[in-house]
């Protein structure tokens, strides 16, 4: 029997008793506090990433309007004169 199977059997034995194990009140409060902090950090990170994406899009639009990469660059040589 592997260690995973032993752990799984121990958990099943605890849950099959019918009465859930008691959780200390301090543990519950700590879990709520950490969960709230984790949610706030995740929300702040998501907002920061959206802000960076918006900034990159604005920078691209400004660069494209100035550089105009869709316009053909001017010719570097003069065309030959044919009507002399």
């Amino acid at each position: 029997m592997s260690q995973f199977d032993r752990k799984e059997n121990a958990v099943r034995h605890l849950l099959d008793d019918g009465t859930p194990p008691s959780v200390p009140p301090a543990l519950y409060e700590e879990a709520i506090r950490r969960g709230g902090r984790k949610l706030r950090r995740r929300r702040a990170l998501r907002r920061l990433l959206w802000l960076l994406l918006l900034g990159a899009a604005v920078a691209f639009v400004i660069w494209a309007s100035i550089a105009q990469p869709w316009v053909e660059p001017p010719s570097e040589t003069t065309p030959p004169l044919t009507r002399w």
Side-chain angles (χ1 to χ4, degrees), residues 2-30:
S2 70
Q3 174 135 0
F4 177 75
D5 291 334
R6 276 184 259 142
K7 285 182 180 180
E8 184 178 354
N9 286 337
V11 170
R12 286 185 189 278
H13 178 69
L14 284 174
L15 294 177
D16 286 341
D17 286 343
T19 59
S22 63
V23 177
L27 181 64
Y28 175 75
E29 292 170 4
E30 181 71 17

Side-chain angles (χ1 to χ4, degrees), residues 6-82:
R6 276 184 259 142
K7 285 182 180 180
E8 184 178 354
N9 286 337
V11 170
R12 286 185 189 278
H13 178 69
L14 284 174
L15 294 177
D16 286 341
D17 286 343
T19 59
S22 63
V23 177
L27 181 64
Y28 175 75
E29 292 170 4
E30 181 71 17
I32 293 294
R33 186 180 64 79
R34 285 186 181 188
R37 181 173 35 179
K38 189 174 183 181
L39 286 175
R40 283 190 302 274
R41 285 181 180 175
R42 189 178 294 164
R43 189 180 307 133
L45 180 63
R46 191 178 303 131
R47 285 181 182 169
L48 177 66
L49 289 176
W50 275 111
L51 186 64
L52 286 174
L53 181 65
L54 179 67
V58 168
F60 175 76
V61 167
I62 291 173
W63 169 80
S65 66
I66 292 172
Q68 295 181 350
W70 57 87
V71 176
E72 186 176 325
S75 176
E76 302 219 355
T77 60
T78 58
L81 293 174
T82 57

